[in-house]
Amino acid sequence: MSKTYADHFNKTAITITDSFIDVKTGNSIPISPKVNEQIQYHTKNQTLNHFILSALHSYLHPRIPASEGNDLILQELTELKKLIKGGRIASVAAAKPDTTFQKENAAVDLDEVEDVLEAFGG
């Protein structure tokens, strides 16, 4: 059963069926009660066109979930931890006898670095 919602102020109308076909996947997806509720809300408040355009914008320009960014950071931290545990950082520092890296290396306790990496998910 379908129902047509109209925002007469902005001359916007949309007919909602029980399900729709996702144009990206081709899958049939039932209309959720939350979508129906939001369409009714925006129709009542004469903001249906803004709701539709916002949904299209979100669909066409999806945000990268924060968890993906966190996964990349966690991978980098894991690699750093492996380097520290493998002693590769210490050997790199020994290969470069001068420069500020050795001074910084002397000031930084690798156990503390490992603790920090451990605290951030490593």
Side-chain angles (χ1 to χ4, degrees), residues 69-85 89 113-122:
N70 290 340
D71 289 344
L72 181 62
I73 291 170
L74 290 176
Q75 285 177 347
E76 293 293 328
L77 289 173
T78 302
E79 289 300 319
L80 286 172
K81 185 177 177 181
K82 286 179 185 174
L83 289 173
I84 290 171
K85 283 191 172 180
I89 288 181
V113 173
E114 189 172 340
D115 290 342
V116 170
L117 292 175
E118 199 64 47
F120 284 98

Side-chain angles (χ1 to χ4, degrees), residues 41-52:
Y41 172 82
H42 288 283
T43 299
K44 182 180 175 183
N45 291 310
Q46 301 176 344
T47 56
L48 186 58
N49 61 341
H50 297 288
F51 177 67
I52 293 169

Side-chain angles (χ1 to χ4, degrees), residues 25-105:
T25 64
N27 295 333
S28 181
I29 301 173
I31 303 292
S32 70
K34 186 174 182 178
V35 170
N36 270 329
E37 178 185 305
Q38 286 297 308
I39 289 172
Q40 290 172 5
Y41 172 82
H42 288 283
T43 299
K44 182 180 175 183
N45 291 310
Q46 301 176 344
T47 56
L48 186 58
N49 61 341
H50 297 288
F51 177 67
I52 293 169
L53 291 173
S54 295
L56 283 171
H57 183 79
S58 296
Y59 184 79
L60 297 172
H61 306 285
R63 292 183 187 163
I64 297 173
S67 63
E68 286 184 24
N70 290 340
D71 289 344
L72 181 62
I73 291 170
L74 290 176
Q75 285 177 347
E76 293 293 328
L77 289 173
T78 302
E79 289 300 319
L80 286 172
K81 185 177 177 181
K82 286 179 185 174
L83 289 173
I84 290 171
K85 283 191 172 180
R88 292 184 191 166
I89 288 181
S91 64
V92 170
K96 297 179 182 180
D98 61 337
T99 72
T100 58
F101 183 75
Q102 250 188 346
K103 292 177 185 175
E104 291 175 6
N105 192 20

